[in-house]
């Protein structure tokens, strides 16, 4: 009877869910098809129970093919390496022709194959197929008592239906609850702070002015190392260089920040944001000598927080935001390595730091104190190790010395310029363009200290190392002109003008030395 088959299907489904901890994926409107799933690491068991019979094996084969395609489409949600389908048909009669060969394991050959086992629980083979199902799935006996009165069966079917559908509703509410734990208050404060500081930069010299950025707290390695200004790792998180940089980052802060703050709550979000930003700043300090500012490290940390969420709630993650998050991370990383000006150290450092910071605070209502303490130790160990590497890397970086020398020139501390340049030259063997720049700066200090002969020597050497260095040609031409060596001065200023014909200083000196007017 149809009622017995329906009762058997719902009774089994009820036991799979309540006793064997399967999740309910789907119950169709007609009430004759139920999908369940149980994930264990890289393996996923998908049970499809259907109260439907087939007269012919070809009809059954077509249904099997449809099930394979449905599970293939579900793979991104299941996110398991190995998916095994247990396709369970419950019907009064089996197909009339030879169909038993379909009970052999089947496989959909792909990079990550999907396997299927079929069970056909008809009246004539019910017990035999049920026992095979129990054995293959690895569960205790499925208890289905057909001796009950029809009214009892009907009541129980209705009860099981309600139970399964309530599970679906509960899962939906649970998922929605995960994305509404907190309210995004701090995200808006961060947005306001970043915009306010940007406007302050714009009204005090400009957000693209190097000196203004340094003054207001951008990441500047010489100040960090020489003056111990490690607070720049935090202050630089809230400064931005140019309108495009600000707008792009603020859009990302709005979307990522509100999402992460809703998932983790405000306090956890704040800790993740700061630890990620600091981690990104440390990585930037270690791997890039350039002046840097921006929320990018913290933003990538929010990506890390979403990955941590996905690690603990894989199915929900890939059913909702997972694919887009992974795609955005990939695009940003590829984009970062394609454009030299982008600080990849801050991005990748922030991503890793954000993931670890999420492990420190963990998800709401989930505590794993051992792992959380371990995450704290990992964060501190990585930070310490990368800082040590960064100090050594900066000390051997010509770029670091150039930045430090530039600051000393602005301070008119020319004796110290010469000292730092000497150190830099000892540590920059083989880097011809960097050596040329260092020699140029030392020559400038010699000029200011009235040591013309030493300045000429450095400028000549600088030009030998980099023949396309217009400023070196210009400064040497200026010295020769002051000494009355007009032939050498004319040759050098002509070269400087050829290399940079739009420089007003070069044009004026060219006209003065050669007597020719520039058209």
């Amino acid at each position: 009877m149809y009622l017995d088959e329906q009762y058997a299907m719902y009774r089994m489904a009820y036991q799979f869910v309540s006793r064997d901890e399967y999740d309910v994926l789907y119950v169709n409107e007609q009430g004759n098809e139920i999908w369940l799933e149980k994930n264990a690491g890289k393996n996923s068991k998908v049970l499809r129970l259907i109260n439907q019979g087939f007269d012919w094996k070809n009809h059954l084969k077509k249904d099997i093919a449809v099930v394979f395609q449905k599970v293939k489409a579900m793979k991104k949600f299941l996110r398991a390496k190995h998916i095994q389908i247990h396709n369970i048909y419950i019907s009064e009669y089996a197909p009339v022709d030879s169909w038993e060969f379909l009970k052999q394991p089947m496989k959909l050959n792909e990079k990550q194959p999907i396997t299927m086992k079929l069970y056909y629980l008809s009246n004539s083979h019910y017990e035999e197929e049920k026992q095979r199902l129990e054995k293959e799935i690895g569960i205790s006996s499925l208890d289905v008592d057909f001796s009950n009165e029809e009214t009892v069966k009907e009541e129980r079917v209705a009860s099981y239906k309600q139970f399964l559908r309530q599970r679906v509703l509960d899962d939906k509410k649970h998922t929605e609850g995960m994305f509404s734990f907190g309210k995004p208050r701090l995200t808006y404060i961060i947005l306001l702070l970043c915009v306010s500081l940007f406007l302050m930069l714009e009204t005090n010299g400009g957000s693209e002015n190097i000196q203004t950025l340094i003054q207001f707290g951008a990441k500047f390695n010489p100040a960090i190392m020489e003056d111990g200004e490690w607070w720049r790792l935090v202050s630089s998180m809230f400064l931005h260089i140019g309108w495009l940089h600000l707008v792009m980052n603020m859009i990302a802060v709005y979307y990522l920040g509100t999402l992460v703050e809703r998932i983790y709550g405000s306090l956890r979000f704040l800790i993740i944001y700061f630890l990620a930003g600091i981690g990104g700043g440390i990585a930037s300090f270690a791997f890039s000598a350039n002046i840097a500012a921006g929320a990018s490290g913290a933003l990538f940390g929010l990506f890390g927080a979403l990955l941590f969420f996905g690690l603990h709630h894989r199915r929900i993650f890939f059913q909702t935001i997972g694919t887009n998050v992974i795609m955005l991370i990939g695009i940003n990383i590829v984009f970062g390595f394609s454009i030299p000006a982008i600080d990849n150290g801050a991005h990748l450092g922030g991503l890793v730091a954000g993931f670890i910071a999420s492990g420190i605070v963990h998800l709401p209502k989930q505590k794993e104190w051992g792992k959380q303490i371990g995450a704290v130790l990992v964060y501190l160990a990585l930070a310490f190790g990368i800082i040590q590497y960064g100090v050594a890397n900066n000390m051997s970086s010509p770029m670091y010395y150039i930045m430090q020398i530039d600051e000393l020139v602005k301070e008119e501390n020319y004796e110290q310029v010469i000292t730092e340049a000497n150190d830099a030259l000892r540590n920059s063997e083989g880097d011809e363009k960097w050596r040329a720049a260092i020699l140029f700066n030392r020559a400038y200090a010699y000029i200011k200290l009235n040591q013309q002969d030493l300045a000429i020597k450095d400028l000549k050497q600088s030009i030998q190392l980099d023949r396309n260095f217009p400023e070196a040609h210009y400064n040497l031409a200026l010295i020769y002109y002051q000494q009355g060596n007009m032939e050498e001065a004319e040759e050098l200023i002509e070269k400087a003008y050829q290399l940079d014909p739009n420089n007003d200083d070069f044009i004026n000196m060219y006209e003065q030395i050669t007597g020719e007017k520039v058209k």
Side-chain angles (χ1 to χ4, degrees):
M1 293 176 62
Y2 175 76
L3 178 59
D4 282 346
E5 296 149 17
Q6 191 181 43
Y7 173 66
M9 181 183 73
Y10 275 99
R11 175 65 183 170
M12 288 180 187
Y14 172 77
Q15 290 178 83
F16 284 130
V17 174
S18 63
R19 187 188 67 188
D20 301 312
E21 299 181 338
Y22 277 78
D23 294 320
V24 183
L25 296 180
Y26 172 73
V27 180
N28 72 347
E29 288 295 326
Q30 294 76 26
N32 70 331
E33 185 175 1
I34 302 167
W35 287 73
L36 310 175
E37 188 254 351
K38 187 175 184 178
N39 185 280
K42 296 180 179 180
N43 300 306
S44 178
K45 287 182 182 179
V46 176
L47 310 187
R48 186 250 194 167
L49 299 93
I50 184 165
N51 177 201
Q52 182 179 349
F54 296 90
D55 294 332
W56 305 97
K57 68 181 179 187
N58 285 340
H59 297 163
L60 180 58
K61 286 171 70 176
K62 285 181 182 179
D63 188 71
I64 290 168
V66 169
V67 172
F68 264 127
Q69 292 307 310
K70 284 183 178 179
V71 175
K72 183 180 176 182
M74 291 164 58
K75 278 181 73 174
K76 65 178 181 179
F77 301 127
L78 301 174
R79 258 358 213 194
K81 190 173 182 180
H82 306 290
I83 299 174
Q84 187 177 63
I85 310 166
H86 295 275
N87 196 6
I88 307 160
Y89 296 92
I90 303 171
S91 175
E92 186 174 359
Y93 300 108
V96 296
D97 50 356
S98 299
W99 64 274
E100 286 80 2
F101 70 95
L102 294 174
K103 292 196 288 185
Q104 296 297 318
M106 292 170 270
K107 180 186 288 187
L108 186 65
N109 286 317
E110 292 196 331
K111 186 177 180 181
Q112 295 180 347
I114 300 171
T115 60
M116 180 189 290
K117 293 182 179 180
L118 181 145
Y119 314 88
Y120 207 104
L121 281 69
S122 63
N123 286 356
S124 56
H125 296 89
Y126 178 83
E127 281 299 327
E128 175 189 336
E129 287 293 276
K130 183 171 78 73
Q131 289 174 15
R132 187 167 71 88
L133 171 64
E134 292 164 353
K135 181 180 178 182
E136 294 289 350
I137 296 179
I139 59 171
S140 56
S141 177
L142 291 166
D143 174 25
V144 182
D145 184 2
F146 292 106
S147 65
N148 290 312
E149 296 284 339
E150 285 196 6
T151 54
V152 173
K153 292 176 186 175
E154 288 173 351
E155 289 173 359
R156 289 188 178 176
V157 166
S159 174
Y160 297 148
K161 278 184 181 180
Q162 179 61 30
F163 171 79
L164 295 173
R165 285 176 175 158
Q166 189 60 48
R167 275 300 181 98
V168 173
L169 291 174
D170 290 345
D171 285 346
K172 184 179 179 182
K173 287 180 182 178
H174 178 62
T175 300
E176 291 171 352
M178 285 184 174
F179 292 98
S180 58
F181 178 79
K183 293 183 179 179
R185 298 186 181 96
L186 293 179
T187 299
Y188 300 132
I189 293 174
I190 290 170
L191 284 167
L192 180 62
L193 181 60
C194 288
V195 171
S196 299
L197 288 173
F198 180 81
L199 294 175
M200 185 173 66
L201 291 177
E202 287 292 300
T203 55
N204 285 274
S207 63
E208 298 182 67
N209 182 288
I210 298 300
Q211 284 306 115
T212 302
L213 287 166
I214 293 172
Q215 179 187 350
F216 283 92
K219 189 218 76 173
F220 182 54
N221 288 9
I224 292 173
M225 288 184 59
E226 300 299 323
D227 303 322
E229 295 179 358
W230 292 96
W231 50 266
R232 290 179 178 272
L233 298 179
V234 175
S235 60
S236 61
M237 294 163 52
F238 301 96
L239 305 178
H240 289 83
I241 305 171
W243 282 100
L244 180 61
H245 189 210
L246 175 76
V247 171
M248 295 300 291
N249 272 5
M250 291 307 95
I251 291 171
V253 167
Y254 176 77
Y255 285 106
L256 286 174
T258 52
L259 178 58
V260 172
E261 194 169 356
R262 287 183 191 279
I263 293 172
Y264 284 85
S266 295
L267 180 59
R268 290 181 181 84
F269 162 78
L270 188 66
I271 293 170
I272 292 168
Y273 193 89
F274 271 88
L275 290 182
I278 292 168
I282 290 171
S284 177
F285 163 77
F287 299 106
S288 172
N290 294 323
I291 292 170
S296 299
L299 286 173
F300 268 78
L302 299 183
F303 277 125
L306 294 176
L307 290 178
F308 183 84
F309 170 78
L311 182 69
H312 287 78
H313 298 286
R314 183 176 301 184
R315 184 160 61 87
I316 293 171
F317 180 69
F318 285 104
Q319 283 177 341
T320 52
I321 58 174
T323 303
N324 290 335
V325 167
I326 291 173
M327 188 182 300
L328 282 171
I329 293 171
I331 290 170
N332 276 280
I333 289 174
V334 171
F335 187 69
F337 281 105
S338 303
I339 299 176
I342 290 178
D343 193 342
N344 288 303
H347 290 182
L348 296 178
L351 181 68
V352 173
F355 185 87
I356 296 171
S358 302
I360 292 172
V361 299
H362 218 296
L363 292 161
K365 301 177 183 178
Q366 295 187 32
K367 300 295 180 186
E368 295 183 76
W369 292 114
K371 291 181 180 179
Q372 289 175 255
I373 292 169
V376 172
L377 296 177
V378 168
Y379 184 94
L380 293 175
L382 281 174
F384 179 78
I386 294 172
I387 287 172
Q388 296 305 307
Y389 171 82
V391 170
N393 193 39
N394 275 283
M395 291 301 293
S396 62
S397 168
M399 178 66 170
Y400 171 80
Y401 282 105
I402 290 291
M403 293 171 67
Q404 193 172 18
I405 288 167
D406 283 344
E407 281 301 297
L408 291 170
V409 168
K410 291 183 178 74
E411 296 169 6
E412 300 183 2
N413 189 349
Y414 301 119
E415 294 286 354
Q416 191 61 32
V417 167
I418 294 169
T419 300
E420 293 296 331
N422 292 339
D423 289 341
L425 290 168
R426 283 193 292 270
N427 289 289
S428 60
E429 293 294 335
D431 295 315
E432 292 189 352
K433 286 199 172 183
W434 287 118
R435 289 178 66 81
I438 294 166
L439 287 163
F440 173 81
N441 279 285
R442 189 171 71 174
Y444 183 79
Y446 282 139
I447 291 170
K448 291 296 184 180
L449 295 171
N450 295 316
Q451 299 180 44
Q452 307 295 335
D453 292 341
L454 291 175
I456 291 170
K457 182 180 177 182
D458 275 358
L459 288 169
K460 283 182 176 180
Q461 193 176 348
S462 178
I463 291 169
Q464 285 177 353
L465 292 170
D466 184 2
R467 296 191 177 277
N468 296 318
F469 195 165
E471 290 82 5
H473 287 87
Y474 171 79
N475 279 9
L476 189 53
L478 188 60
I479 293 174
Y480 282 141
Y481 177 69
Q482 291 171 347
Q483 292 180 344
N485 190 344
M486 301 303 295
E487 185 177 344
E488 293 284 352
E490 185 172 339
E491 181 181 342
L492 287 161
I493 196 60
E494 284 178 354
K495 182 64 175 177
Y497 173 65
Q498 288 172 7
L499 292 170
D500 188 359
N502 297 315
N503 188 302
D504 290 339
D505 290 336
F506 295 178
I507 291 170
N508 293 335
M509 184 57 64
Y510 176 83
E511 292 178 344
Q512 188 173 341
I513 293 175
T514 64
E516 298 177 5
K517 285 287 183 183
V518 174
K519 296 180 181 179

